[in-house]
Amino acid sequence: MSETSVPSNFIREAIEEDLRTGRYDRVHTRFPPEPNGYLHIGHAKAICIDFGLAEAFGGKCNLRFDDTNPVKEDIEYVEAIKEDIHWLGFDWEEREYYASDYFEQLYQWAIELIKKGKAYVDDLSPEEVREYRGTLTEPGKESPYRNRSVEENLDLFQRMRAGEFPDGARVLRAKIDMSSSNINLRDPVMYRILHSEHHRTGNKWCIYPMYDYAHGQSDSIEGITHSLCDIAYEIHRPLYDWFLDALEIYHPRQIEFARLNLTYTILSKRYLKQLVEGGYVSGWDDPRMPTLCGMRRRGYPPEAIRDFIERVGVAKNESIVDVALLEHCVRDHLNKTAPRVMAVLNPLKVIIDNYPEEKEEQLEALNNPEDASFGTRLVPFSREIYIEQDDFREIPPPKYFRLAPGKEVRLRYGYFIKCVDVVKDPQGNIVELHCTYDPETRGGYAPDGRKVQGTLHWVSAAHATDAEVRLYDRLFNHPDPDSAEEGKTFLDYLNPNSLKVLTGCKVEPCLAKAKPGQRFQFERQGYFCVDLDTTDNRLVFNRTVELRDSWAKIEQKKTG
RNA sequence: UGGGGCGUAGUGCAAUGGCAGCACACCAGACUUUGGAUCUGUGGAUCUUGGUUCGAAUCCGAGCGCCCCAGCCA
């Protein structure tokens, strides 16, 4: 086990102690998703912890689908989940397991518990079971069926399996303690009748084990040492231990950690589903979604997500991490890996009056000024170019470094230009600019040493490629959309400007052949990636994340 | 009112009886052919209250606050 720079945490320490004391002599974890939805950034935390810890200790991590509820699960999700885990960079090798693989063993163990007098078939209706359970402050009552004979229980349980009873008619329950202060121990249901086709076992079964009965035993079968899970299961741990002890089988250790929450983000599967089904987003992989497939489409590199999870740390505190940290990690990675390119999102035509009409030249540009290994490229330049509308102000505010009447700026890797005229339409909108250029400043340097404050990105009009650019912003305008005020729901906090589609954007010709998934920095603007909707004659970019913009901050402060 | 868990800068995580530190965010400055990146610097925290101790974020008592548990969901 090589010493990594990853900071320690309480789970790592617990594992180290278990290894030291000999409680376990190896580390084997598992990531146990239920195939009933898509993975999101919250799952990424669990994945990184489960796979990451195993790796750190030279152990293994299994992928196990917790598929004990056929009503909610689907094969569609298992494929998506596998793809997302691989995308994050983790591999379970040949250890792809399913709780449903263990149904027969689980059934045999249930029979064993019945024989030991530790489980019984209950005929109470779901409503009655609830009534008999008691409340948080009052103990429950024992079911009248609680003390059936072993023979009767065996007979009934076998007939449950055989399909003799309709859904909900009976359940198998563990016989523990109806007056326990831990409600999970008040004779929890082990099996329920569900005449439903399972995506893997088909119609072989009509009784299905509950999570509490299936999970620990599945861990045991797989020889898991450390079963890491959400803090919500902490109160289930006595039950996890109870089944394993009652069965007298190999006993893994369950350790719980706090799940991830992000500001301006919703991570509940139910709400995410609502966003998709309500048409508030285009699908599970909408780039505004916190799903891994959404982030992938948005252009978030998996390395950035892993870095983020690492920085968040592992603890038991319930916390809400600032989404700015995630964005920082994304920028940090992309800054090192994304080639730079020029793209004009809101074009403003500029005519360089003293540049010859038919002339055209190729200017050399750096693909990454911070890393020479990215090489250089040639960018065509000509008399008519586009610059960003925001890069010109007829009446420049103080500290505005960009173009204005009479002002001189640098065109990145090009020439110094000076604005000499502003052309407007009858409504007073600026439609084009006339400038002059200084031929001595080719490449962006003035031989006489004069300086300009601003450097603008640009694209030659005649050579530009058209593109559609989708600008994404946070989906919610409330830092904690989940905790809505009275009378409101998370939907009331949807940001109406979370998607802005720009068409007619002008990008460097070298982007014409860009392929879906490729990431770039559009200089001075942000990181963008080529969207899946891109075809041979349609170029679509997604804005992954903006570059930090200190000018926007200055302006914002001035306007209030 | 039962049980379980958690309280450290704005946020997240460290400090495991010995100078409360790191990251992000924020603010100021330097540098800059990206108002990016980078670099430097400033401010800001132990829930409260008693106690033990030479010394407490840490140990003990009391209190307060927040989260979770009453699915035949996971």
Side-chain angles (χ1 to χ4, degrees):
Chain A
M1 139 195 21
S2 65
E3 205 50 54
T4 63
S5 59
V6 182
S8 189
N9 59 59
F10 78 99
I11 298 179
R12 187 180 273 256
E13 285 168 11
I15 293 176
E16 282 164 359
E17 193 189 339
D18 286 345
L19 258 18
R20 196 166 48 239
T21 62
R23 177 168 176 175
Y24 300 106
D25 58 3
R26 77 217 139 81
V27 175
H28 200 149
T29 60
R30 101 271 89 115
F31 174 62
E34 181 186 15
N36 71 341
Y38 287 80
L39 260 25
H40 55 63
I41 185 77
H43 295 108
K45 178 177 181 181
I47 292 169
C48 290
I49 289 173
D50 291 333
F51 282 93
L53 240 24
E55 197 178 300
F57 285 94
K60 292 173 175 171
C61 180
N62 297 352
L63 169 60
R64 179 171 74 235
F65 288 96
D66 223 327
D67 55 349
T68 56
N69 186 354
V71 180
K72 295 188 174 177
E73 296 151 7
D74 197 283
I75 190 80
E76 167 199 358
Y77 298 116
V78 342
E79 292 311 318
I81 287 169
K82 284 157 64 174
E83 182 184 359
D84 288 344
I85 299 171
H86 273 148
W87 176 69
L88 268 186
F90 294 105
D91 185 32
W92 53 91
E93 299 175 309
E94 78 291 353
R95 299 179 308 281
E96 176 181 328
Y97 302 134
Y98 295 79
S100 56
D101 292 340
Y102 313 136
F103 281 174
E104 185 60 39
Q105 173 68 76
L106 258 13
Y107 177 82
Q108 294 303 331
W109 275 333
I111 286 178
E112 199 175 317
L113 288 178
I114 290 172
K115 288 178 177 167
K116 285 182 172 177
K118 290 174 186 284
Y120 63 96
V121 173
D122 196 352
D123 300 357
L124 254 28
S125 69
E127 297 70 35
E128 290 169 321
V129 167
R130 195 186 328 122
E131 284 163 23
Y132 277 65
R133 187 153 28 229
T135 67
L136 294 178
T137 53
E138 303 157 40
K141 284 185 302 186
E142 296 189 350
S143 164
Y145 305 98
R146 195 175 197 258
N147 295 308
R148 291 216 247 234
S149 69
V150 168
E151 292 67 34
E152 190 181 3
N153 279 320
L154 249 21
D155 175 60
L156 255 15
F157 187 48
Q158 276 153 13
R159 288 163 61 193
M160 277 170 63
R161 176 181 185 170
E164 290 188 27
F165 314 116
D167 289 4
R170 290 179 224 266
V171 290
L172 182 71
R173 292 229 254 172
K175 190 190 283 190
I176 306 180
D177 179 6
M178 286 308 290
S179 62
S180 173
S181 51
N182 180 346
I183 290 183
N184 296 291
L185 260 22
R186 317 239 264 229
D187 289 11
V189 172
M190 294 167 59
Y191 273 91
R192 74 286 214 188
I193 300 171
L194 249 28
H195 289 271
S196 175
E197 183 169 324
H198 187 279
H199 62 98
R200 297 200 96 227
T201 60
N203 293 308
K204 183 175 181 195
W205 296 88
C206 63
I207 57 172
Y208 291 91
M210 298 286 288
Y211 166 87
D212 284 307
Y213 179 64
H215 204 91
Q217 282 62 257
S218 298
D219 285 342
S220 182
I221 290 169
E222 294 177 16
I224 299 304
T225 56
H226 300 272
S227 185
L228 313 176
C229 64
D230 189 315
I231 206 97
Y233 294 102
E234 193 157 29
I235 199 162
H236 290 246
R237 194 171 64 223
L239 184 51
Y240 181 97
D241 292 334
W242 189 91
F243 281 123
L244 263 5
D245 289 340
L247 256 12
E248 299 175 273
I249 56 178
Y250 167 75
H251 199 143
R253 191 220 300 204
Q254 173 178 301
I255 301 176
E256 312 84 9
F257 59 88
R259 67 154 158 261
L260 177 72
N261 292 293
L262 261 191
T263 56
Y264 298 98
T265 308
I266 223 138
L267 290 179
S268 117
K269 264 186 202 173
R270 205 179 111 235
Y271 287 170
L272 256 20
K273 196 169 186 184
Q274 222 172 309
L275 290 175
V276 173
E277 290 176 353
Y280 299 100
V281 294
S282 63
W284 289 98
D285 69 343
D286 184 299
R288 293 165 293 181
M289 291 284 274
T291 48
L292 295 181
C293 53
M295 291 183 168
R296 177 163 61 237
R297 187 163 183 180
R298 173 88 170 245
Y300 282 22
E303 297 89 342
I305 292 175
R306 290 174 66 161
D307 179 35
F308 166 71
I309 297 298
E310 199 169 285
R311 295 196 200 207
V312 162
V314 182
K316 296 183 77 166
N317 293 340
E318 171 211 330
S319 59
I320 305 182
V321 178
D322 194 339
V323 72
L325 177 61
L326 210 209
E327 293 173 344
H328 167 82
C329 293
V330 171
R331 287 193 194 98
D332 196 41
H333 185 267
L334 258 15
N335 179 46
K336 298 185 193 95
T337 57
R340 268 120 250 228
V341 96
M342 293 192 284
V344 176
L345 271 27
N346 296 293
L348 172 60
K349 172 79 75 69
V350 172
I351 297 162
I352 302 168
D353 295 335
N354 60 338
Y355 194 90
E357 299 241 6
E358 301 307 321
K359 188 174 175 183
E360 172 181 322
E361 54 189 316
Q362 299 289 329
L363 301 170
E364 187 174 56
L366 266 22
N367 291 331
N368 185 345
E370 288 179 22
D371 186 345
S373 73
F374 278 68
T376 61
R377 69 185 185 284
L378 264 15
V379 185
F381 185 81
S382 61
R383 188 168 189 264
E384 295 193 2
I385 62 171
Y386 292 109
I387 65 167
E388 209 68 58
Q389 287 171 19
D390 278 350
D391 285 340
F392 175 80
R393 290 289 177 85
E394 196 169 15
I395 302 163
K399 296 223 178 127
Y400 186 80
F401 296 167
R402 285 111 99 142
L403 198 59
K407 264 193 80 179
E408 187 174 49
V409 297
R410 171 192 296 114
L411 292 177
R412 180 87 156 147
Y413 302 122
Y415 294 94
F416 285 10
I417 57 168
K418 191 181 283 185
C419 177
V420 294
D421 194 20
V422 180
V423 180
K424 297 181 183 178
D425 65 14
Q427 288 76 40
N429 300 310
I430 298 169
V431 293
E432 70 182 31
L433 262 28
H434 283 266
C435 293
T436 56
Y437 86 116
D438 178 352
E440 298 299 309
T441 57
R442 191 177 201 268
Y445 295 94
D448 64 2
R450 74 182 192 276
K451 303 280 184 207
V452 288
Q453 285 185 113
T455 299
L456 311 187
H457 60 275
W458 53 275
V459 172
S460 167
H463 305 84
T465 294
D466 280 308
E468 172 181 328
V469 175
R470 299 172 182 169
L471 303 179
Y472 296 102
D473 198 354
R474 47 185 55 141
L475 231 198
F476 297 95
N477 49 31
H478 189 287
D480 188 7
D482 213 344
S483 69
E485 304 154 37
E486 71 290 346
K488 290 192 172 185
T489 75
F490 72 103
L491 294 173
D492 292 310
Y493 299 119
L494 276 168
N495 173 10
N497 304 312
S498 61
L499 169 60
K500 201 157 147 195
V501 179
L502 264 28
T503 53
C505 303
K506 303 292 183 179
V507 306
E508 265 186 53
C510 71
L511 287 172
K513 50 191 184 303
K515 294 284 171 284
Q518 278 192 292
R519 307 182 181 104
F520 300 92
Q521 183 195 96
F522 287 180
E523 290 214 32
R524 304 208 299 138
Q525 311 200 90
Y527 296 97
F528 294 74
C529 75
V530 182
D531 187 74
L532 267 26
D533 289 341
T534 293
T535 61
D536 286 345
N537 40 29
R538 181 157 93 121
L539 232 198
V540 182
F541 288 95
N542 293 320
R543 183 173 68 195
T544 306
V545 64
E546 286 179 275
L547 240 30
R548 292 186 63 202
D549 188 349
S550 50
W551 166 245
K553 250 177 214 173
I554 293 170
E555 265 212 312
Q556 201 176 30
K557 246 182 288 179
K558 271 187 299 203
T559 57

